[in-house]
Amino acid sequence: MKRVGPRGSGQFERISWDEALDTVAEQLKRITSQYGNEAIYALGGPGAMYSFSNRGCLNRLLNLSGGYLGDYGNFSFAQYIKACKYTYGAEIDYLFGSSVAEMANSDLVLMIGHNPSELGMSGSGQGYDFVRQKQKNNFKTIIIDPRYTESSLGKEDQWIPIHPGTDAALVEAIAYVLITENRVNQAFLNEYCVGYDENTMPDGVPYSESYKAYILDNPVAGDLTPGANAKTPAWAAPITGIPESTIWDLAHDLANAQAPFVQVAMSIGRHSAGENNVRTAFMLPILLGQLGLPGTNHGGIPMSASMNVFSMENHAEAGDDANAVKKRISFFKFIEAVENGKDLTVLKDGVILPDEELDENGDGKLGTDIKAIIAYATNRLINQNADVNYSRQVLADDSKCEFIVVIDNVMNASAEFADIILPDVTYVETEDLVNQGAVAGDTATLVQMSTSVGPMFESKPLYEMCVGIAKRLGIEAEFTKGKSHKQWLDEAYAATQAMNPGLPDKDVMLKQGIYRKYLPNGAYLSNKAFRADPVANPLPTPSGKIEIYSERLAYLAKHWELPEGDVISALPKYVAAWDGFEDEATRHDYPLQLGGYHTKGRVHSSYHNVPWLREAVQDAVWMNPIDADQRGLKTGDQVKVFNSRGTIEIPVKVTPRVMPGVAALGEGAWLKMENGIDKGGNINVLTSHRPTPLSKGNGQHSIRVEIQRA
Amino acid sequence: MTNKIQYGFYFDATRCTGCKTCQVSCKDRKDLPVGINWRRVYEYAGGQWNQNGDGTVSQDVFAYYTSIGCNHCSEPACTKACPTGAMHKRREDGLVLIDAEICIGCGSCARACPYDAPQIDNDKGIMTKCDGCYERLAEGLLPTCVESCPQRALDFGVIDELRAKYPDAIEPNIAPLPSTEITHPNLIIKPNRNAKPTGDKSGQILNWAEV
């Protein structure tokens, strides 16, 4: 289809595949010759998780035609992996912690925001595993969350409601108790860590810069007298909303546990001070010395059992290395890069440039605007990106981003901003292998899709679209390597089978559908080798140790240009940041914090258009009875939820399952703009596109709103 | 009337996360429109919040779910209320079924049933209801809701066998369900730790819009 009205008006006309692919190829040629390959941006998402006909096809096509502007980070854990990198030394390796199965060896599971029963749809495998482990082993379970989640429901021994984004304040108060009562594992801190106290500071950094001095607010080594700004439970109580005595008890529970399993959710990273929230939460197992031992976890999200599959993206010439464009931006900055990419810089915006383009200060400009976007299987062009009204305004101007292609099988809010829409097939119309996602738990699963129906109407698999574009760009032979779609699929399957001995032949899998194994590699225990021998198995940090104090962050803190209020710090710290609980700029006009969560009714925005799911799980904003009474609201009333960025209108659900002062709304609802008000209930009308300090990622859970009767 | 056997459901409220897969898979199998739910998942919750005056809060909040289809009761209120005999209890297995040829869609059964099992189809002018997936049973399969539950919180079978298989399960005199004395449902429940007794006033059904 091609756009016939103004960009974003949703007016389209059906055209032939030839015309569509001709247009795409011509525009790509024009834009690369006029602005360079770095003006092309490929927007990917999790809407289609096929192993072969996926965004790897598209990336490979773009690589073969000269490359495209790359990106780093993602909506799930941009901040989290930076916390992993600066604490434990690597990003993805420490994103994942011990398996759920390892909880069997624990006597206390502490979930900081973690919510396995809602993280994946229907709880996914991880939700199943958690319930089984809990019921079988009966470890004490403490859940910290502003909502009484589906992971609770009597499975918890204690639910501690907390103001969104204040988890770091809670952890600092626990640290205070552990330090002042001498319950930290001093031997562990001495041997395995950098920056805790006078024994472990980097050369040239005084004790006053240590974690212990910071928590106690006392620069004198050996003096435990707390200063005026010590991080005491009394200090943390009004910030977190948690009574002081509860904080003391929680600290004692952790200290008394034989094998505490601390689970830090990705969600606490998606706040305006997200990197510091996660780094701070990691301090619990570190202070206790409870990691790398049976039944413990360093904080990371549960490692999912998985099998390896062939992916076009990982295929020899398809990876990042094959992209001739070496410039990259944060995934969260692409709208800004449309608006004014030229002036985005390394030190201000986190742009990554090749070394030869950096000046003596390590700075440099991106130097180009995004002029074309190819969005595949994603609704983050509009719906899932923060600050919908900002994105709509920037993208509506077709003199800025001159060409937008959307490849999808539904007409969503993002597709409405396309110039050309290419209709993709759905899961049941194509043969492909699907690997499980990262929250699948302890059972590894491969799903073989079969063509129970052929492509409906005029849709095509992505691979075939790419072949059509490659032909028009004169690179068909390089792209296909002379192979048919079926040959590629057969080879991809054979490659997957070689990696997974036991996987049946394809003709069997086409009938059988699912292949799974429980813990094919056994239960994963994070940091096991490092704990056993820190000299032989150092962490990939510069010091080889756990870096409580990060010299690399101390450097960035000095050299990066940050807006007022943003903090990058050598030590992990609670930061009262924008749109958070303590934000003076917004808390008076918008007294409620709004939490976005994974609703059971869809996967992000996928399947929002299924009426049965809309009926099964109502899209209503949760509100505590105290807040509802103050506003004269009762369940079912239509309300406006608003802040300076926009307004949505939806029903309210009055429920004790969310704490006072906090409202909650499932994310992913499809935008439905009527006279400037979203009647669809899309939370991103209310979220900010201001990035977090270190990862330049999405602080989409820091939202302040007011709610009134519509 | 005595049946040769009596089928019934088992529900484990300690596992249920309220995900609604049972409800949706049932609709998928029977292609039921929005508004007709042969299986419904009730969210029952309550508890009080206290603002402690120092910026902190305390609470005794609880919540749990109950997944309910038709309980194919031993003394069904629906069959007694039916003026035509369309709603009947099958002798061979105790399933309570509707003869669509005879049903006049008067709604008497729905008003009589304390579990909201009969669901009127206004387009067709007849009553509809969970039929225990009798055609799947004939093939040796379990009802769709049971097999689709991600937490394996549901089971189905001869009720006496279920009682033996699940010694922790009890008669469902649990809020928000009515007293079992009314219809003698063939449903047993492993109660949630938060479970309140039938008639409890400390909580309420929070999701009327979804059931």
Side-chain angles (χ1 to χ4, degrees):
Chain A
M1 300 222 280
K2 76 170 178 190
R3 170 168 72 87
V4 292
R7 168 93 57 78
S9 66
Q11 298 170 60
F12 294 94
E13 182 181 282
R14 182 181 169 208
I15 56 172
S16 68
W17 269 107
D18 274 339
E19 185 183 344
L21 296 178
D22 285 347
T23 307
V24 173
E26 280 162 20
Q27 290 287 343
L28 290 179
K29 276 193 266 190
R30 179 184 69 78
I31 288 167
T32 49
S33 70
Q34 201 171 335
Y35 303 104
N37 280 75
E38 56 262 52
I40 310 277
Y41 185 61
L43 194 66
M49 301 290 274
Y50 314 115
S51 71
F52 172 70
S53 192
N54 67 6
R55 72 178 285 205
C57 287
L58 194 59
N59 293 355
R60 187 156 169 272
L61 173 77
L62 293 172
N63 284 342
L64 290 170
S65 59
Y68 59 100
L69 180 63
D71 64 16
Y72 64 89
N74 67 49
F75 276 88
S76 297
F77 45 71
Q79 302 81 1
Y80 204 102
I81 56 178
K82 293 300 174 194
C84 294
K85 174 180 172 176
Y86 290 102
T87 308
Y88 295 111
E91 297 190 345
I92 300 296
D93 287 352
Y94 293 89
L95 165 65
F96 296 106
S98 300
S99 303
V100 179
E102 193 59 39
M103 289 179 187
N105 298 316
S106 172
D107 55 344
L108 172 63
V109 173
L110 174 67
M111 295 185 173
I112 303 178
H114 189 61
N115 179 9
S117 297
E118 292 179 87
L119 181 55
M121 210 175 184
S122 306
S124 191
Q126 205 179 99
Y128 178 90
D129 292 331
F130 163 63
V131 175
R132 286 301 183 283
Q133 291 296 348
K134 167 67 183 173
Q135 295 190 341
K136 196 169 144 200
N137 300 297
N138 202 31
F139 40 76
K140 184 170 183 175
T141 305
I142 302 175
I143 298 179
I144 298 172
D145 201 301
R147 293 165 63 234
Y148 188 70
T149 66
E150 315 296 29
S151 298
S152 304
L153 302 175
K155 292 178 283 286
E156 83 291 3
D157 296 278
Q158 188 182 10
W159 171 46
I160 303 177
I162 187 168
H163 293 136
T166 66
D167 306 81
L170 170 65
V171 172
E172 291 187 348
I174 295 170
Y176 176 88
V177 177
L178 299 178
I179 291 169
T180 54
E181 294 189 347
N182 198 24
R183 302 295 300 270
V184 299
N185 187 333
Q186 188 69 49
F188 176 83
L189 291 162
N190 289 347
E191 188 178 358
Y192 291 84
C193 303
V194 169
Y196 171 67
D197 64 6
E198 66 272 29
N199 302 314
T200 55
M201 293 309 287
D203 285 347
V205 183
Y207 171 79
S208 59
E209 298 294 310
S210 73
Y211 193 73
K212 190 172 174 181
Y214 163 70
I215 292 294
L216 294 172
D217 187 34
N218 183 338
V220 181
D223 183 358
L224 291 183
T225 315
N229 293 314
K231 309 304 176 190
T232 62
W235 161 79
I239 297 172
T240 58
I242 302 170
E244 214 182 312
S245 60
T246 306
I247 300 174
W248 285 98
D249 291 346
L250 178 55
H252 294 153
D253 282 347
L254 280 163
N256 292 335
Q258 297 298 307
F261 188 112
V262 177
Q263 191 77 79
V264 178
M266 291 185 271
S267 57
I268 74 162
R270 296 188 292 257
H271 280 273
S272 47
E275 296 90 357
N276 256 319
N277 287 350
V278 178
R279 287 177 68 215
T280 303
F282 286 164
M283 286 308 296
L284 288 180
I286 293 170
L287 290 168
L288 294 162
Q290 292 282 13
L291 51 86
L293 301 174
T296 69
N297 180 28
H298 76 278
I301 68 164
M303 175 72 83
S304 275
S306 70
M307 290 180 262
N308 296 317
V309 295
F310 171 94
S311 162
M312 187 69 128
E313 201 154 14
N314 297 333
H315 196 58
E317 352 21 6
D320 276 348
D321 292 347
N323 185 352
V325 176
K326 300 301 178 193
K327 298 177 179 180
R328 291 199 288 158
I329 58 170
S330 158
F331 73 100
F332 195 54
K333 282 268 192 181
F334 76 94
I335 298 287
E336 284 177 74
V338 167
E339 194 181 25
N340 184 18
K342 282 191 287 296
D343 293 329
L344 296 184
T345 72
V346 174
L347 300 183
K348 176 168 62 70
D349 303 293
V351 168
I352 296 176
L353 298 177
D355 287 347
E356 62 271 20
E357 294 190 29
L358 296 175
D359 64 18
E360 65 276 13
N361 299 317
D363 204 2
K365 286 185 177 182
L366 181 62
T368 183
D369 297 344
I370 289 174
K371 288 293 179 183
I373 295 175
I374 306 177
Y376 168 64
T378 179
N379 201 357
R380 73 179 172 103
L381 191 64
I382 297 288
N383 210 86
Q384 297 303 96
N385 199 10
D387 203 343
V388 163
N389 286 320
Y390 168 68
S391 301
R392 280 162 56 90
Q393 176 214 319
V394 172
L395 294 177
D397 182 349
D398 58 12
S399 73
K400 287 180 180 156
C401 185
E402 296 177 8
F403 186 58
I404 299 177
V405 189
V406 169
I407 303 169
D408 213 319
N409 50 38
V410 288
M411 180 61 94
N412 55 31
S414 296
E416 287 183 1
F417 274 74
D419 298 314
I420 294 283
I421 299 175
L422 303 180
D424 192 15
V425 293
T426 63
Y427 278 103
V428 296
E429 299 165 67
T430 187
E431 182 195 304
D432 216 322
L433 204 55
V434 179
N435 202 0
Q436 64 187 18
V439 297
D442 291 338
T443 301
T445 306
L446 294 178
V447 181
Q448 176 66 46
M449 308 309 299
S450 57
T451 48
S452 46
V453 294
M456 302 281 279
F457 309 105
E458 294 170 79
S459 63
K460 282 183 196 289
L462 177 67
Y463 175 77
E464 289 173 21
M465 298 179 207
C466 289
V467 172
I469 297 167
K471 185 189 275 180
R472 287 161 176 84
L473 295 174
I475 51 172
E476 184 185 9
E478 293 94 317
F479 183 73
T480 64
K481 291 186 162 182
K483 294 175 205 166
S484 69
H485 190 177
K486 182 166 187 322
Q487 277 174 308
W488 272 107
L489 284 172
D490 289 345
E491 285 184 22
Y493 192 90
T496 301
Q497 203 174 21
M499 290 185 271
N500 302 282
L503 177 66
D505 288 342
K506 190 156 107 177
D507 55 337
V508 175
M509 271 295 275
L510 281 166
K511 292 195 187 76
Q512 177 178 317
I514 292 174
Y515 176 69
R516 58 187 162 206
K517 279 183 174 175
Y518 182 73
L519 289 173
N521 306 310
Y524 175 70
L525 172 59
S526 78
N527 285 283
K528 188 179 173 184
F530 171 63
R531 185 59 187 264
D533 188 341
V535 177
N537 309 301
L539 295 183
T541 52
S543 62
K545 296 184 177 186
I546 294 170
E547 299 199 340
I548 300 170
Y549 181 97
S550 167
E551 290 180 286
R552 290 180 295 175
L553 287 177
Y555 178 87
L556 294 185
K558 276 197 197 115
H559 291 85
W560 276 20
E561 298 159 25
L562 296 172
E564 195 181 335
D566 277 12
V567 173
I568 293 178
S569 53
L571 290 176
K573 284 180 178 176
Y574 166 71
V575 177
W578 53 266
D579 283 16
F581 175 72
E582 295 189 274
D583 182 20
E584 288 299 327
T586 53
R587 67 186 299 188
H588 303 290
D589 288 346
Y590 306 113
L592 296 167
Q593 288 186 278
L594 179 66
Y597 62 92
H598 288 190
T599 155
K600 300 173 288 188
R602 56 186 167 256
V603 181
H604 300 308
S605 78
S606 292
Y607 313 120
H608 179 82
N609 52 335
V610 178
W612 285 343
L613 296 178
R614 300 285 60 74
E615 175 192 35
V617 186
Q618 186 191 26
D619 281 316
V621 61
W622 287 22
M623 186 183 263
N624 184 280
I626 293 171
D627 297 316
D629 284 350
Q630 283 173 2
R631 291 164 177 77
L633 298 172
K634 59 181 193 312
T635 291
D637 287 345
Q638 200 70 8
V639 294
K640 281 190 162 73
V641 184
F642 61 96
N643 61 20
S644 62
R645 292 181 281 275
T647 303
I648 63 175
E649 194 179 307
I650 42 168
V652 65
K653 177 174 179 172
V654 180
T655 171
R657 294 182 62 182
V658 64
M659 75 187 296
V662 181
L665 179 64
E667 54 95 20
W670 283 15
L671 188 73
K672 200 172 151 194
M673 275 291 177
E674 291 176 17
N675 301 318
I677 292 176
D678 170 40
K679 302 282 180 82
N682 182 334
I683 198 166
N684 286 316
V685 169
L686 306 163
T687 54
S688 172
H689 73 275
R690 178 172 171 175
T692 56
L694 182 58
S695 66
K696 307 302 178 193
N698 50 328
Q700 270 166 301
H701 292 320
S702 291
I703 317 171
R704 297 209 70 112
V705 296
E706 176 56 296
I707 297 180
Q708 292 171 354
R709 185 183 301 277
Chain B
M1 186 174 94
T2 52
N3 308 315
K4 286 182 184 161
I5 57 166
Q6 174 65 56
Y7 280 133
F9 283 103
Y10 162 79
F11 171 64
D12 184 343
T14 71
R15 290 183 179 177
C16 179
T17 60
C19 77
K20 318 291 183 72
T21 306
C22 52
Q23 173 186 319
V24 175
S25 67
C26 170
K27 296 186 77 142
D28 190 15
R29 170 152 185 84
K30 302 292 178 178
D31 208 16
L32 300 174
V34 166
I36 298 180
N37 289 310
W38 287 8
R39 183 163 280 278
R40 302 154 309 286
V41 182
Y42 297 91
E43 178 189 14
Y44 192 77
Q48 296 298 315
W49 284 88
N50 295 305
Q51 290 175 306
N52 300 328
D54 59 354
T56 69
V57 291
S58 48
Q59 45 76 33
D60 58 357
V61 170
F62 69 89
Y64 59 93
Y65 291 94
T66 309
S67 171
I68 294 289
C70 169
N71 300 317
H72 303 283
C73 302
S74 294
E75 292 176 32
C78 57
T79 58
K80 288 176 197 160
C82 180
T84 67
M87 188 72 85
H88 62 286
K89 189 167 174 67
R90 202 154 81 158
R91 197 174 176 78
E92 65 263 35
D93 53 18
L95 292 179
V96 175
L97 302 174
I98 297 169
D99 186 338
E101 300 290 314
I102 307 175
C103 176
I104 56 172
C106 68
S108 301
C109 55
R111 287 189 291 278
C113 174
Y115 297 97
D116 283 340
Q119 302 263 309
I120 191 78
D121 184 334
N122 285 316
D123 289 344
K124 293 182 182 154
I126 54 168
M127 194 57 70
T128 70
K129 190 181 70 59
C130 161
D131 58 11
C133 284
Y134 63 84
E135 77 282 26
R136 284 174 60 88
L137 301 179
E139 294 172 31
L141 299 170
L142 287 165
T144 301
C145 55
V146 172
E147 294 214 325
S148 68
C149 175
Q151 282 290 353
R152 304 293 185 256
L154 288 166
D155 202 353
F156 179 88
V158 174
I159 191 72
D160 290 339
E161 292 173 7
L162 291 176
R163 287 194 175 100
K165 186 175 173 185
Y166 299 106
D168 292 346
I170 59 171
E171 295 301 311
N173 287 301
I174 293 168
L177 302 182
S179 165
T180 55
E181 288 306 308
I182 304 169
T183 63
H184 294 275
N186 288 297
L187 168 71
I188 54 171
I189 289 182
K190 183 176 178 185
N192 188 286
R193 196 191 76 196
N194 289 329
K196 307 290 176 193
T198 288
D200 170 70
K201 300 291 179 208
S202 67
Q204 55 182 315
I205 292 174
L206 289 184
N207 67 334
W208 283 115
E210 296 171 346
V211 295

